[in-house]
Amino acid sequence: MIDRYDWSGGSEAMLRFGAAKGPVVLFAMPLFEEANRLRALVVTMLRALADLGIAAALPDLPGTGESLLATEAASLDGWRDAFAAAEEKLTREGLRVHVAAMRGGVLVDGRANCDSRWHFAPVTGAALVRDLVRARQASAREAGKNFDPAAIVLGDPPVELAGNLLSPQLIADLREAGPALDGRRRTLRLTTEAAAADRKVAARPLWRRAEPENNPALARELAVDLSAWVRQCAA
């Protein structure tokens, strides 16, 4: 079902999965091109979660998905406020909200009140910006040009990074951003990641693929883990 939520800057779309009662998982998508590469995986996972009896909601953030806001007008503060507004809508419906996020989505969920957080392959904003800059530098080299990230200056016009027009303020804010560490939290990572996690999962990093892909087996595995975590926190 396609629903909507209101935030201070307007109204955005939100996909709903599963029953309209009981606990609900509010999911924060990865950011930028990773959102395109991982959307099929996320939707497959949330459908599997609904089959396991846990409802889910997937909001578009301002400047992403079907949002009418231009990407270059998006801000980290706006994303965090919008995600919190999506949580408030679900809470007003009488639902117990659990937050889940993948990759850069962990940078936007911190203002949402929730019973627990579940993160898969979380990344810092600094690491995310490094990936964006490397992609821009690679494309510049192919065109016989140079790109110096030091040229990104606050107050300047939006800059193109990995196919996205982004404001220098958003880039600066992302460099300082990290995942929320408060409350009940479970973290999953791939076995190839060195950082600590509550569980390691064997799978390919689909966010590194050249084209969007899906992995239904991984989606099901993540959904099973997330459903068990929600039920544990609700007990």
Side-chain angles (χ1 to χ4, degrees), residues 39-179:
R39 188 170 182 84
L41 175 71
V42 171
V43 170
T44 302
M45 173 188 165
L46 297 185
R47 285 174 174 159
L49 190 67
D51 290 341
L52 292 167
I54 304 294
L58 180 63
D60 278 349
L61 296 176
T64 74
E66 301 300 317
S67 175
L68 297 179
L69 185 75
T71 303
E72 57 263 38
S75 68
L76 182 58
D77 195 56
W79 284 344
R80 288 171 170 169
D81 279 352
F83 193 80
E87 172 269 313
E88 290 170 3
K89 172 184 171 64
L90 299 174
T91 298
R92 287 195 301 269
E93 293 176 9
L95 302 174
R96 302 298 297 269
V97 178
H98 299 259
V99 161
M102 188 178 294
R103 297 289 291 164
V106 304
L107 306 175
V108 307
D109 72 23
R111 293 179 188 167
N113 293 316
C114 58
D115 283 11
S116 73
R117 285 186 170 83
W118 181 97
H119 290 164
F120 176 60
V123 63
T124 64
L128 193 62
V129 171
R130 284 196 298 271
D131 284 348
L132 293 171
V133 167
R134 279 195 291 264
R136 172 65 190 272
Q137 289 173 325
S139 64
R141 283 194 298 271
E142 290 179 2
K145 301 177 182 180
N146 292 317
F147 175 74
D148 182 2
I152 304 174
V153 178
L154 290 178
D156 277 1
V159 60
E160 187 274 323
L161 293 181
N164 301 279
L165 271 179
L166 307 177
S167 74
Q169 184 64 62
L170 172 58
I171 296 167
D173 290 343
L174 283 171
R175 283 193 170 114
E176 303 299 321

Side-chain angles (χ1 to χ4, degrees), residues 187-202 221:
T187 300
L188 275 66
R189 295 185 183 275
L190 297 182
T191 53
T192 52
E193 296 182 77
D198 297 297
R199 179 185 172 191
K200 295 289 184 81
V201 178
E221 184 175 0

